[in-house]
Amino acid sequence: MALNTNTANQRIAGKSFVDALVNEAMVLTQNYSDTITADLRFARTTFNPNGTVRVFDTRLNTMVPLQGVKMRARRWFDVREAITDANGWYQTSGFKKAANYSLIFETDGFDVRTGTFGQATIDGPKQSSSWNVDLWDGTNRLYGHVFRGAWKYFYGNIGGLSRPKSIFDSGTLFKQKLKYAAMDKVGAAQGVNIGNWSFYGTNPNIYVYRYNKDGIEYASDEIFSTTCHETCHTTHWQLMNGEFIQYWQVNTFIAESWPVGVEWYLTSMEYRSRGIADYGTETYKITASYPLDRAYQLWTKSINPDYTSVFIDLVDGFNQNVQWGNSSLPNDSVTGYTLAGIESNFLKHAYGQGSLTDQLKNNKPAGVTDAQIDLLMNSY
């Protein structure tokens, strides 16, 4: 097809007119660095805002890539966005002048807040070169690890477990993100899930705290693990048909022990993949909250009767009672269950220790006996 030179010339003329208007506006507002070269032959070539985002991990003692955060580059009303990949790398489409960078801790499924209301965001520089972001410490590191835990549950490898669904997502009018409040303060607990009954989404669903009751900052893997634990309460509630009455019939033993097992599983998967081969096993001894220290194998009723190791014990192949010669520990000769199998097959029908025992017997793996199940369940 022949080129319509009249149309092409009109487009060039139109662009020149727009450029002249923008140029004049920049001069009048004294934004001289944003003026546009009138002669397109000497215009600057396009640059693509890009860079790498990482967060410091206190357990690994190194930087790790932060995948999934939203990176934004803006020039006035022209906004370009990109999402960081598994290496923390991002790149937007191009500009011809310096752009204002920003980082937003948000995805389609969830966002991280600066406490109760504000969106967690980092405002970057205005420049025409790469912006690399390293979250070394402070609240930015807190935001980073809360985001990591949430991203893992929503989008990463979770071994067949159910992912959180958007709240009130009927496929039509209402779709709300799960909201994480990253609290830069001491908490009575590491985190709390206050539920999903805020219809208009004004309040966070999940709180994760930076410091313990003694004012000591939690390690990176503890923040990651707590985020997974609290997210698991949401998926458990959604498993119960998203009905408050049905979910509240689940006693605390099940409601808390299930997230203990899930956070152990997901955090172990994450940190083994990053080089700690025995993370989340009985041999890995660290100063950390349960279930990270020695895979919750030292649980006894005197520690906490509700946050138990029962779902870990159903999955693993280690009998702490026998191997460590400690009769106060659970007598765990049961193995062969998977957390994904428990969740998909019968967790919905487990409301307490009795109904869980029945479901375990009705769905036991090959080689597991009812007597072994009774012996383990009587430990709790």
Side-chain angles (χ1 to χ4, degrees):
M1 179 180 293
L3 174 66
N4 186 328
T5 55
N6 289 333
T7 301
N9 290 333
Q10 289 171 0
R11 289 174 180 169
I12 293 173
K15 178 169 178 55
S16 298
F17 178 71
V18 172
D19 285 350
L21 288 178
V22 172
N23 214 57
E24 183 65 19
M26 296 302 102
V27 172
L28 291 174
T29 57
Q30 298 183 9
N31 290 287
Y32 301 113
S33 63
D34 288 330
T35 55
I36 298 173
T37 301
D39 192 336
L40 297 181
R41 293 175 300 169
F42 304 104
R44 176 190 173 130
T45 57
T46 299
F47 91 98
N48 297 91
N50 65 78
T52 300
V53 182
R54 305 183 302 175
V55 59
F56 183 74
D57 191 293
T58 60
R59 184 66 64 197
L60 297 169
N61 196 32
T62 190
M63 286 285 182
V64 297
L66 188 58
Q67 183 174 7
V69 291
K70 182 185 296 183
M71 303 303 297
R72 180 174 293 162
R74 177 184 59 81
R75 275 186 53 80
W76 296 90
F77 302 107
D78 189 0
V79 178
R80 319 285 174 86
E81 292 182 341
I83 305 299
T84 55
D85 65 14
N87 298 312
W89 168 259
Y90 69 95
Q91 179 171 292
T92 76
S93 54
F95 293 95
K96 290 187 176 180
K97 290 281 188 176
N100 293 95
Y101 283 93
S102 59
L103 183 161
I104 303 96
F105 294 92
E106 178 186 34
T107 73
D108 287 342
F110 68 89
D111 67 68
V112 178
R113 294 186 171 188
T114 59
T116 305
F117 290 110
Q119 172 67 57
T121 303
I122 299 175
D123 290 324
K126 180 179 181 179
Q127 59 190 36
S128 55
S129 58
S130 300
W131 184 41
N132 298 307
V133 187
D134 282 343
L135 310 176
W136 280 100
D137 54 18
T139 53
N140 287 342
R141 187 172 73 194
L142 172 66
Y143 301 150
H145 291 304
V146 171
F147 187 94
R148 283 180 64 215
W151 192 92
K152 175 78 171 178
Y153 221 129
F154 272 80
Y155 305 110
N157 177 14
I158 57 174
L161 291 167
S162 297
R163 300 191 188 279
K165 303 178 183 67
S166 296
I167 307 166
F168 302 112
D169 183 7
S170 63
T172 53
L173 182 60
F174 294 106
K175 181 175 181 179
Q176 295 184 29
K177 298 181 180 183
L178 203 62
K179 296 168 290 297
Y180 295 82
M183 306 298 288
D184 185 24
K185 60 192 295 186
V186 171
Q190 287 179 255
V192 60
N193 187 320
I194 65 170
N196 303 291
W197 44 82
S198 176
F199 187 78
Y200 294 103
T202 57
N203 296 316
N205 309 99
I206 291 170
Y207 290 77
V208 180
Y209 292 89
R210 183 178 172 188
Y211 301 99
N212 68 15
K213 57 183 177 58
D214 298 317
I216 299 173
E217 187 173 16
Y218 289 113
S220 298
D221 53 341
E222 293 179 279
I223 294 171
F224 181 98
S225 185
T226 298
T227 303
C228 292
H229 178 110
E230 300 306 334
T231 306
C232 183
H233 284 302
T234 295
T235 59
H236 192 182
W237 170 74
Q238 291 175 338
L239 181 71
M240 310 299 284
N241 298 324
E243 294 182 4
F244 305 120
I245 295 177
Q246 187 174 353
Y247 180 71
W248 288 119
Q249 292 180 56
V250 179
N251 71 6
T252 310
F253 170 80
I254 300 292
E256 293 297 349
S257 296
W258 173 246
V260 163
V262 170
E263 68 173 305
W264 160 79
Y265 176 65
L266 296 182
T267 309
S268 297
M269 185 190 304
E270 173 72 11
Y271 280 84
R272 289 174 193 171
S273 73
R274 297 196 180 277
I276 306 179
D278 61 342
Y279 191 100
T281 69
E282 65 279 357
T283 62
Y284 189 63
K285 182 179 180 180
I286 54 175
T287 301
S289 54
Y290 282 126
L292 306 182
D293 181 29
R294 287 183 271 196
Y296 220 158
Q297 298 298 323
L298 289 174
W299 177 89
T300 63
K301 289 181 180 179
S302 62
I303 292 177
N304 193 309
D306 295 322
Y307 292 71
T308 79
S309 61
V310 59
F311 290 101
I312 298 174
D313 291 331
L314 291 168
V315 170
D316 70 13
F318 182 75
N319 190 339
Q320 56 268 47
N321 182 295
V322 174
Q323 295 294 322
W324 287 340
N326 188 336
S327 60
S328 66
L329 301 177
N331 198 331
D332 174 20
S333 56
V334 176
T335 189
Y337 291 94
T338 66
L339 294 183
I342 291 171
E343 183 183 55
S344 62
N345 293 328
F346 58 85
L347 181 64
K348 182 176 181 178
H349 306 293
Y351 290 86
Q353 190 165 334
S355 56
L356 175 60
T357 300
D358 292 339
Q359 291 298 324
L360 290 170
K361 291 179 179 179
N362 293 336
N363 296 273
K364 56 182 178 288
V368 175
T369 67
D370 288 355
Q372 289 174 320
I373 293 172
D374 286 332
L375 184 63
L376 175 62
M377 294 305 295
N378 288 335
S379 300
Y380 310 104

